[in-house]
Amino acid sequence: MTPVGAYLLIAGAIVAEVAGTVSLKLSEGFSRLLPSIVVVVGYGTAFVLLGQALKHGMPVGVAYAIWAAAGVALVALIGSAFLDEPMNLTMIAGLVLVMGGVALLETGRAS
């Protein structure tokens, strides 16, 4: 598999994990069936895709950093935009720092 393929697997894992996490909020403590199913399927799919990216040679530190940071950023943005959760400049700065850390990990891997 090409490096692009591994990144596509990570992208799929991120989408699945974000869907699972947002659905976790919508499941209201697993009291709503459909969002609860999306939680289980989303997290299951995320871990399978993450595992496949690792199997195809992506370093675990880089893969996990990309997966976790992108997930955190997307969930925070979705929460702010659609779930009436607060977002302020301090939180935005934190997200920028997390993403910057991932960029440094990727840059360090390439050198």
Side-chain angles (χ1 to χ4, degrees), residues 12-13 17 26 31-33 49-50 54 63 88 90-91 95 103:
E17 186 265 337
L26 299 175
S31 65
R32 297 182 61 216
L33 181 61
L49 293 175
L50 181 59
L54 297 175
N88 58 43
T90 303
M91 295 166 79
L95 291 173

Side-chain angles (χ1 to χ4, degrees), residues 24-102:
L24 189 59
K25 169 90 174 181
L26 299 175
S27 76
E28 297 177 9
F30 291 101
S31 65
R32 297 182 61 216
L33 181 61
L34 185 58
S36 298
I37 292 170
V38 175
V39 170
V40 173
V41 171
Y43 282 127
T45 301
F47 284 116
V48 168
L49 293 175
L50 181 59
Q52 287 298 307
L54 297 175
K55 177 181 176 183
H56 291 290
M58 182 169 274
V60 69
V62 172
Y64 188 72
I66 293 168
W67 179 65
V72 166
L74 287 170
V75 168
L77 293 172
I78 289 168
S80 177
F82 300 106
L83 302 174
D84 296 321
E85 295 180 351
M87 177 70 67
N88 58 43
L89 287 177
T90 303
M91 295 166 79
I92 293 169
L95 291 173
V96 169
L97 288 171
V98 167
M99 298 308 285
V102 171

